[in-house]
Amino acid sequence: MRESVATGTAWASSDPQAGRDLADWSAPTGPARLYLVLTLVCVGYFVVAWLLRFARAYRLRRHPAPPTAGRPLDVWEIALLVGGPTRFAQVALVAMHRRRRAVIGADRRVSLLAPRPDDEIERTVFDAVGPARTALVGPVVDAVARPGPTAGWRPVRARLEQDGLLLTEQDVDPRGIGGLCVVLLLGVVLSFAEAVSGSPAWAAVVFFALIVLVPRLFAKSLAAQTMAGRARIVELRTMPPTVWTDTDEDVLTRIAVFGPEAIPDPIVRSSLMSPPPTPSSS
């Protein structure tokens, strides 16, 4: 066993070769140092870009709303304003169910009854269900809510943006070089983790930690509603009693504002709400 003594914050060993090995790992050199500098520049740039994006969205939310911001909203605009594309898709399925254009069963499946769609919103549901004309409710909602140039909620969102109730997707969606930051960070970790810790397991731990943490910290979309849009949501959530009737329009309006919990039919309500967690076997 070799004798070692502590000197300052470093360990000195009686073995010269061990000292050289320790010095080799004391700081990155060559390509590793360049890689580290590039990573720091990348992360710094991305953080600054995120802060600028946040500040710009904060300023845009407080712009005075145009006169059209106070116009009555239809059920599709209410759903998209309050709950986003997912709420829009849920209202579309309930609307088709109540009008006997489709049926939502207790098995959490939606089956089409109409031979063909009546409008563009129904067309998106038909496309999501597929040629089998029956599918699970969850995947259908996800498909209708999925962003894309031909999404059925695009025209509705454009109207809300024009009225100053929603910010544009370019203002709130993450942009920049987040993916490059993740790649460079992973490269740094995988380059030095084994040398510093002496165990390759640390590289895997930090690898997965970065995959989980970096998107959550930097790649999250900002809230889309402007101050005028949030004020409209507050008004909608204090609706007068005249809205609490059983007509299709009033029921769909309540679902657009309050979500699947407001669906009067218990079977449809349980099908559109998240399933309860599976109890653990322990």
Side-chain angles (χ1 to χ4, degrees):
M1 181 180 295
R2 294 192 296 269
E3 181 181 355
S4 299
V5 295
T7 304
T9 58
W11 286 94
S13 173
S14 59
D15 188 348
Q17 182 63 36
R20 285 194 298 271
D21 292 343
L22 184 61
D24 291 341
W25 295 114
S26 61
T29 59
R33 180 178 298 174
L34 176 61
Y35 203 24
L36 181 59
V37 170
L38 290 175
T39 301
L40 294 177
V41 171
C42 179
V43 172
Y45 175 83
F46 187 54
V47 171
V48 171
W50 188 89
L51 292 175
L52 291 175
R53 182 171 67 95
F54 181 85
R56 182 172 184 272
Y58 181 87
R59 185 176 67 255
L60 290 174
R61 285 195 189 97
R62 282 153 179 78
H63 278 182
T68 55
R71 67 174 177 83
L73 302 177
D74 64 27
V75 65
W76 308 111
E77 293 167 334
I78 293 173
L80 195 62
L81 175 65
V82 177
T86 298
R87 184 72 53 81
F88 179 94
Q90 292 168 341
V91 172
L93 288 182
V94 176
M96 294 183 66
H97 175 84
R98 288 185 63 89
R99 295 165 185 165
R100 303 305 298 170
R101 309 278 300 167
V103 61
I104 300 174
D107 55 354
R108 294 182 177 270
R109 299 187 71 87
V110 55
S111 301
L112 300 175
L113 301 179
R116 62 186 62 85
D118 266 355
D119 51 34
E120 288 302 318
I121 295 176
E122 285 194 359
R123 188 180 304 279
T124 61
V125 175
F126 271 69
D127 292 341
V129 173
R133 296 179 60 82
T134 183
L136 291 173
V137 167
V140 172
V141 170
D142 293 340
V144 175
R146 185 177 301 125
T150 60
W153 47 266
R154 288 281 180 199
V156 179
R157 184 185 177 92
R159 295 198 298 269
L160 295 173
E161 292 172 0
Q162 187 176 4
D163 291 342
L165 301 178
L166 286 181
L167 298 178
T168 66
E169 291 180 282
Q170 289 72 24
D171 293 326
V172 297
D173 284 350
R175 301 189 306 276
I177 52 174
L180 180 59
C181 285
V182 174
V183 172
L184 292 177
L185 284 171
L186 293 178
V188 172
V189 171
L190 296 177
S191 297
F192 299 116
E194 183 175 359
V196 172
S197 66
S199 172
W202 281 100
V205 170
V206 182
F207 177 90
F208 289 109
L210 285 173
I211 289 179
V212 172
L213 294 177
V214 171
R216 290 180 178 272
L217 292 176
F218 297 108
K220 183 179 180 181
S221 295
L222 302 177
Q225 294 91 350
T226 63
M227 296 301 292
R230 294 176 182 179
R232 291 300 299 272
I233 292 175
V234 173
E235 294 176 3
L236 291 167
R237 287 175 175 165
T238 55
M239 292 183 297
T242 55
V243 184
W244 296 93
T245 67
D246 195 41
T247 63
D248 285 347
E249 182 179 359
D250 288 349
V251 169
L252 295 178
T253 299
R254 292 200 301 272
I255 298 170
V257 175
F258 299 106
E261 294 85 353
I263 299 175
D265 188 328
I267 293 178
V268 179
R269 182 171 61 246
S270 62
S271 296
L272 282 173
M273 293 180 66
S274 299
T278 304
S280 61
S281 58
S282 60

